[in-house]
Structures are given as C-alpha cells and as structure tokens.
Amino acid sequence: DAMVIQNPRYQVTQFGKPVTLSCSQTLNHNVMYWYQQKSSQAPKLLFHYYDKDFNNEADTPDNFQSRRPNTSFCFLDIRSPGLGDAAMYLCATSRDFVFGQGDGYTFGSGTRLTVV
Amino acid sequence: AQSVTQLDSQVPVFEEAPVELRCNYSSSVSVYLFWYVQYPNQGLQLLLKYLSGSTLVKGINGFEAEFNKSQTSFHLRKPSVHISDTAEYFCAAMKPAGTYKYIFGTGTRLKVLA
C-alpha cells in the first residue's frame, strides 16, 4: 500500500545532541510537510517542501532544519534539542500545493521525541 | 484571520450511545472543512471533508458531519459509538485556493466507556 512512513516511532535524545527524524513516502506526492504536535495541542506546521523548494514557517525556530534529497525522503534535523522540543513530529504529504480539489493530507504515524 | 474552535476538550460517552463533537470556524471567506482522527501514538487519519455541495457529509467508520454556514459550524456525529472510537478528533479548515495550510482546532478527546 502506498503510504507515509516515519522512522523511528520513538526517539530519545540528549539535551543539546543533534537528532534526525526520517520520513519516506511511496505516494509520489510533490509536497511534504513537517508538523510538531505537543501534548494535548493541535499540530503546528514547521515547514514544507514543494518538490525541492523549501518553505519555512515564520515562527519555526532556527534550531529546526529540513532536507529533502529526493521525492521520496524528507528529514527533520534538530540541531540542539531542548526540553521544550519534546513532542510528536508528524510528516505528511499532499499531491499538490494548491488544494483546488480539497485533497487532504496523508500523514505518517509520527515520531515521538523525548529529550533527556 | 481564520480560526477553528473545538469547545469540548473531552467528551465521555457510553458505548452504543450517539455522540456529537462540536466545531466552529471563523472566516470571512469560504473554506474547506475537515475532520481528522488520531488514535494513541498514531498520525492523523482523514475522517471526512466538506468542499462544496451537500451540507451533510458522510465519512469513514460511520461518522458524518453537517456544514452550517449560518452558524459557521461543522459538527461531527455518530449515531452509535464503539470502544474503538476512543481517540482524539481534530477539526481543520483550509482556504479553497492559493494556500495549503490547515488551521487546526485544539482537538476533542472522545472516550467511549463500556
């Protein structure tokens, strides 16, 4: 089945130690997104890629970076994780940039990041 | 500015009882509306969406929602819930054109009791 896969499901990292979260998709969608979801809160968009074009949300901290080496893969890098970065990180894809047809996203299962 | 409000943070309901999860949106322009479900430690799964046309939208797992423009609401309903419906439910809005961004509500935790 075509899907969005996030690895690992659970990640524990040390305070200040760089960490990378991975997302892959078999849908051949043009757009990939990273969301941060803290406990009991709505998902918050960090950034997205439309093909190779990177788009950062204005309030995304500089500590968060992303890479998309090809259509299928997208990575979230947290350069110096703080305790406040502990959250569920959700990857999502969409066929296109403009929701003319009202397509929803396809979400991965998420990576739960713990910072110790 | 657009916003989505889910007034109920938690809704407990007994198994086989009906449930309604409330969602109100504010927008000066037309919007697309969505309901997503999130099971524990999972990503979000699309339940249903309203784009245009019939105001009653049917989704997966027996859920339906009704778009009410005059009340700017998009409440989610199910006539008979199961234990397996226990999850977090998010209402979201999106402008029809020129943007890809969801505006999510803060979620409603549905707990189905035996």
Side-chain angles (χ1 to χ4, degrees), chain A residues 75-87:
Chain A
F75 300 99
L76 170 62
D77 301 309
I78 308 177
R79 291 191 297 189
S80 182
L83 297 178
D85 296 326

Side-chain angles (χ1 to χ4, degrees), chain A residues 9-81:
Chain A
R9 291 295 307 278
Y10 302 91
Q11 175 75 56
V12 180
T13 191
Q14 291 180 331
F15 182 94
K17 184 175 181 181
V19 66
T20 294
L21 309 183
S22 169
C23 177
S24 65
Q25 55 129 341
T26 60
L27 297 157
N28 204 34
H29 281 175
N30 288 318
V31 194
M32 296 186 76
Y33 309 83
W34 281 103
Y35 279 81
Q36 179 192 62
Q37 186 183 20
K38 295 188 176 181
S39 183
S40 301
Q41 295 184 21
K44 176 179 178 297
L45 182 63
L46 295 173
F47 27 59
H48 80 278
Y49 270 96
Y50 180 73
D51 196 12
K52 292 185 182 301
D53 293 332
F54 177 71
N55 294 269
N56 202 31
E57 293 302 297
D59 57 353
T60 297
D62 293 339
N63 200 24
F64 291 85
Q65 304 287 326
S66 186
R67 297 170 284 135
R68 188 178 186 186
N70 53 53
T71 301
S72 301
F73 285 88
C74 195
F75 300 99
L76 170 62
D77 301 309
I78 308 177
R79 291 191 297 189
S80 182

Side-chain angles (χ1 to χ4, degrees), chain B residues 14-89:
Chain B
F14 284 103
E15 193 173 19
E16 297 183 7
V19 70
E20 178 179 83
L21 305 183
R22 296 181 294 169
C23 173
N24 288 87
Y25 68 94
S26 66
S27 176
S28 59
V29 298
S30 60
V31 293
Y32 292 156
L33 294 162
F34 304 79
W35 275 98
Y36 279 87
V37 60
Q38 186 178 33
Y39 298 104
N41 293 312
Q42 297 288 323
L44 279 70
Q45 181 183 3
L46 181 66
L47 272 179
L48 48 79
K49 59 189 177 188
Y50 172 77
L51 310 181
S52 64
S54 173
T55 57
L56 183 63
V57 180
K58 294 190 182 297
I60 63 170
N61 300 343
F63 284 94
E64 64 181 32
E66 186 158 18
F67 171 65
N68 188 319
K69 188 174 182 178
S70 63
Q71 297 185 2
T72 61
S73 67
F74 190 56
H75 301 331
L76 181 70
R77 303 187 185 101
K78 186 169 183 177
S80 176
V81 295
H82 304 291
I83 296 287
S84 59
D85 293 323
T86 295
E88 188 92 21
Y89 291 80

Side-chain angles (χ1 to χ4, degrees), chain B residues 86-104:
Chain B
T86 295
E88 188 92 21
Y89 291 80
F90 290 94
C91 183
M94 182 187 294
K95 290 182 183 177
T99 183
Y100 55 87
K101 295 184 187 180
Y102 281 116
I103 306 296
F104 280 101

